Amino acid sequence: MGLVTFREERCKGCGLCVEFCPKKIIVLADHFNVLGFHPATATDLSRCTGCGICAWMCPDVVIEVDWNGGKPPGERGESPA
Amino acid sequence: MPKTFQRPQALTDKPFHYCPGCTHGIIHRLVAEAVDQLAVRKKTVGVCPVGCAVFAYDYFNCDMIQAAHGRAPAVATGVKRVLPDRVVFTYQGDGDLAAIGTAEIVHAAARGEKITTIFVNNAIYGMTGGQMAPTTLLGQKTTTTPHGRDRETAGSPLRVAEMLSTIDGAVYVSRVSVHSPRHVRLAGRAIKKAFEVQLSGQGFSVVEVLSTCPTNWGLSPREALKWLGENMVPVFPLGEFRTPSAEEAIEC
Amino acid sequence: MSHLPRVLMKGNEAFGEGAVRAGCRHTFAYPITPQSELAHFLARRLPEIGGVFVQAESEVSAINMVFGAAAAGARVLTSSSSPGISLMQEGISYIAGARLPCVIVNVMRGGPGLGNIAPAQGDYFQAVKGGGHGDYCQIVLAPASVPEIIEMMILAFDLADRYRNPVMVVGDGVLGQMMEPVEIEPGETRTAPAKPWATDGQGDRPAPNIISSLNIVPEDNERFNLDLAVMYAEIRRGEQRCEEYRLDDAELVLVAFGTVARVAKAVVDRARRDGIRAGVIRPITLWPFPEDSVKRAAARADRFLVVEMSLGQMVEDVRLSVEGEKPVHFFGRPGGLVPTVREVCNEVKRITGVMPGAEDVPAATGVDR
């Protein structure tokens, strides 16, 4: 199980993490952050695999990903796209 | 608990000023990751351009120089010739490198300067307001080609990676993209390889990175990535155009 | 009396020799007449002593290589001649804006445009009034002999580092081609002072260094400009240099720099034989202009004659310094010609009226303004 954390105050709501999350568990929140954007947030962390794709695609380095088991995503040979 | 992804040390904590969805941020991060992976941050000197990335000196956590428009390869040459054991890179956009700075990049490559250039090609001038770039596609609308780029009056897009790959001093020349997670990962590998080529002392290395400009393209960030993949990649094919003879090619 | 061995050296080579003695090991330049021997000399000499000479693809590139090398902490030189110096103006403004030290040699030639390759001084305004954009000043040194070229080059590097500012050393084709004896100093060269601000890799420093001329917030940029103004005022107070020749009792003061100052001294010697008490102020620093010396002279002399190889550029600084107290005459040969002693003598006689029939002296082929 992975755990994603968002530095919400930095998110510009571009939605690229939403677009590329393989589990489709990221959405743009209804509320506004301090920058005036709808920030990205994870809806169901129990389904997060910690693959890190959201963080790779985030242009603002908003997302950190913790991984608590198995090989980290870069070494699993998966083809995310 | 091991982090699978965290902010690279070679980035400062300052938030980027780029527009939402602009892939400059991804490319900054890939450069920083390469610097971290090679453990060269404290001996790296970066040279940033004029253009959207003009403030890159605030983002890269290493010694940084802000150069005049297009002159980054000349500035980097000066640094590297004084300090041959440092890692020196330039980070340049398509107006900076492929228009006003064409002479500087071509001759830095021709001299085989042991520097690494990250060339961000998004087919448009971002900072000045969406004007035509040397890499603007035929038919692409910009604020200075309001009816689309016309070959008769505005010429054709410049293929920088192909052009530089004809130069002997350019030891590593590749073109990558960041329009999908897979391409981001491949772009990261190419950037790291370019720095490795510099460290090996073999000559000039450059990675052209296809990038987006959602704001001036008039597209959402997601649409922009799709547009890049569908329209730019056919004109600017991805791949390694020149590698050191001993190196094996990697996918781009 | 000197016991050091002497050799004959060409002016252009002396620029290079002076740079080497100043501890400069990096030169970036693009070929242009009439300064070529300078580049030839350093292309041969620098690699012998562990240095680097790079032939750039243009003067634009050369000055930006200088920017990078200066940012990296080196004592660095570029050299060119008038059209090439024009191309460098963008870079010089950036160097001044980024507070970087460097030395630029301009062996001036006739302009405007491609002009010619003959000696001229038409780049005075460009050098001392800020040839590039924005409010900046560069220190400008004007040697008048081959030994003085070496001396001025060493001074140029010291001043550049002291003020973190570009320094230009101007000569002309006569000075560049002239051969004069210079003393050979045994090997010792200077080294640059410590530069903790240099972008040479963070290393053990607690934080990275940034070199930039960008101050996007107007208030910040105004503060930066005001800081520059403080430094420029300090340079104006402390760095004015000139040679005063037979000035003590002079009624007529000739003001001339570089090659023309040599002519002016010969004119003064002749004029004194004719009973005209004349003297010379030879500015060595064109910026800061030696206004203190000119002001002192204005208090006791009757008039000034500025002689230049131009349409009259330094004459404006002389007039600013004299502040209307005394007449300031001008005689110049623009476009690549050196005023002769004879024609300047005629001008002296014309404006002083000392010689009988002076009005009948035919006007020289020069500019009188």
Side-chain angles (χ1 to χ4, degrees), chain A residues 1-2 49-50 66-76, chain B residues 1-4:
Chain A
M1 171 184 162
T49 64
D66 293 333
W67 174 251
N68 61 0
K71 283 185 178 178
E75 298 168 21
R76 278 177 286 158
Chain B
M1 185 190 292
K3 294 274 186 188
T4 55

Side-chain angles (χ1 to χ4, degrees), chain B residues 41-42 44-45 54-55 57 61-68 71 74-75 77-79 81-83 86 103-104 107 111, chain C residues 26 54 57 60-61 64-65 67-69 71-72 74 90 94 198-203 205 208-212 214:
Chain B
R41 183 178 73 83
K42 291 200 163 183
T44 295
V45 181
V54 71
F55 294 116
Y57 57 75
N61 188 22
C62 59
D63 277 9
M64 291 295 294
I65 300 172
Q66 200 288 311
R71 318 299 177 216
V75 172
T77 296
V79 176
R81 294 301 187 109
V82 172
L83 303 166
R86 305 305 199 275
E104 282 76 9
H107 288 277
R111 289 189 304 270
Chain C
H26 295 85
V54 177
E57 65 272 21
V60 174
S61 189
N64 283 285
M65 292 174 182
F67 184 110
E90 174 200 45
Y94 274 73
T199 46
D200 53 357
Q202 185 184 336
R205 277 188 269 111
N209 281 339
I210 294 172
I211 287 178
S212 167
L214 178 59

Side-chain angles (χ1 to χ4, degrees), chain C residues 251-252 271 274-277 302-303 305 329 344-361:
Chain C
E251 298 164 337
L252 172 68
D274 292 341
I276 302 169
R277 293 214 302 273
D302 294 333
R303 60 187 69 243
L305 173 61
H329 306 272
V344 180
C345 276
N346 286 343
E347 188 68 11
V348 166
K349 288 168 186 170
R350 195 178 67 79
I351 63 175
T352 58
V354 164
M355 291 296 284
E359 294 79 9
D360 299 329
V361 174

Side-chain angles (χ1 to χ4, degrees), chain C residues 43-319:
Chain C
R44 178 169 44 79
R45 184 84 176 100
L46 285 176
E48 290 173 357
I49 52 176
V52 172
F53 176 90
V54 177
Q55 180 170 326
E57 65 272 21
S58 69
E59 290 89 348
V60 174
S61 189
I63 194 68
N64 283 285
M65 292 174 182
V66 167
F67 184 110
R75 284 199 149 177
V76 57
L77 171 73
T78 187
S79 81
S80 189
S81 177
S82 309
I85 297 290
S86 293
L87 273 173
M88 290 185 185
Q89 293 304 322
E90 174 200 45
I92 297 173
S93 174
Y94 274 73
I95 286 169
R99 300 291 320 277
L100 292 174
C102 73
V103 174
I104 303 144
V105 169
N106 181 5
V107 182
M108 294 184 281
R109 59 187 250 186
L114 196 52
N116 56 37
I117 57 171
Q121 295 179 330
D123 302 350
Y124 178 92
F125 280 152
Q126 185 191 55
V128 309
K129 306 296 182 188
H133 58 283
D135 268 333
Y136 75 92
C137 298
Q138 64 185 358
I139 297 169
V140 183
L141 305 177
S145 70
V146 176
E148 199 184 34
I149 287 173
I150 293 180
E151 192 187 320
M152 287 298 112
M153 288 300 289
I154 295 169
L155 176 65
F157 281 99
D158 286 350
L159 292 174
D161 280 337
R162 185 178 309 155
Y163 295 104
R164 287 182 60 182
N165 203 67
V167 176
M168 182 172 281
V169 184
V170 297
D172 58 60
V174 173
L175 210 52
Q177 297 301 321
M178 173 189 293
M179 293 188 81
E180 287 183 322
V182 297
E183 290 174 348
I184 297 296
E185 289 182 21
E188 194 174 326
T189 61
R190 295 178 168 230
T191 51
K195 299 181 178 180
W197 46 263
T199 46
D200 53 357
Q202 185 184 336
D204 296 329
R205 277 188 269 111
N209 281 339
I210 294 172
I211 287 178
S212 167
S213 60
L214 178 59
N215 296 296
I216 196 78
V217 178
E219 287 78 4
D220 292 346
N221 202 33
E222 184 185 50
R223 201 172 305 120
F224 173 72
N225 273 265
L226 292 174
D227 288 347
L228 285 182
V230 170
M231 178 181 77
Y232 295 153
E234 182 189 336
I235 295 173
R236 280 199 185 92
R237 276 194 307 276
E239 304 295 352
Q240 292 179 29
R241 287 171 171 79
C242 67
E243 179 192 0
E244 297 178 348
Y245 179 74
R246 304 185 81 167
L247 196 62
D248 287 345
D249 62 341
E251 298 164 337
L252 172 68
V253 178
L254 276 71
V255 188
F257 70 93
T259 296
V260 186
R262 300 167 72 113
V263 175
K265 285 185 189 174
V267 168
V268 161
D269 292 344
R270 282 207 200 173
R272 282 185 174 262
R273 284 205 296 271
D274 292 341
I276 302 169
R277 293 214 302 273
V280 175
I281 294 175
R282 175 175 74 89
I284 294 172
T285 53
L286 303 185
W287 194 90
F289 187 72
E291 56 185 47
D292 294 348
S293 169
V294 174
K295 280 184 204 300
R296 279 195 305 273
R300 55 174 191 263
D302 294 333
R303 60 187 69 243
F304 290 78
L305 173 61
V306 181
V307 188
E308 299 178 69
M309 293 192 282
S310 73
L311 286 174
Q313 302 193 7
M314 183 176 70
V315 63
E316 296 195 0
D317 283 333
V318 176
R319 286 180 175 144

Side-chain angles (χ1 to χ4, degrees), chain B residues 164-174 239-244:
Chain B
L164 294 179
S165 70
T166 65
I167 298 171
D168 288 346
V171 174
Y172 181 70
V173 181
S174 65
E240 289 186 319
F241 295 87
R242 200 172 176 114
T243 59

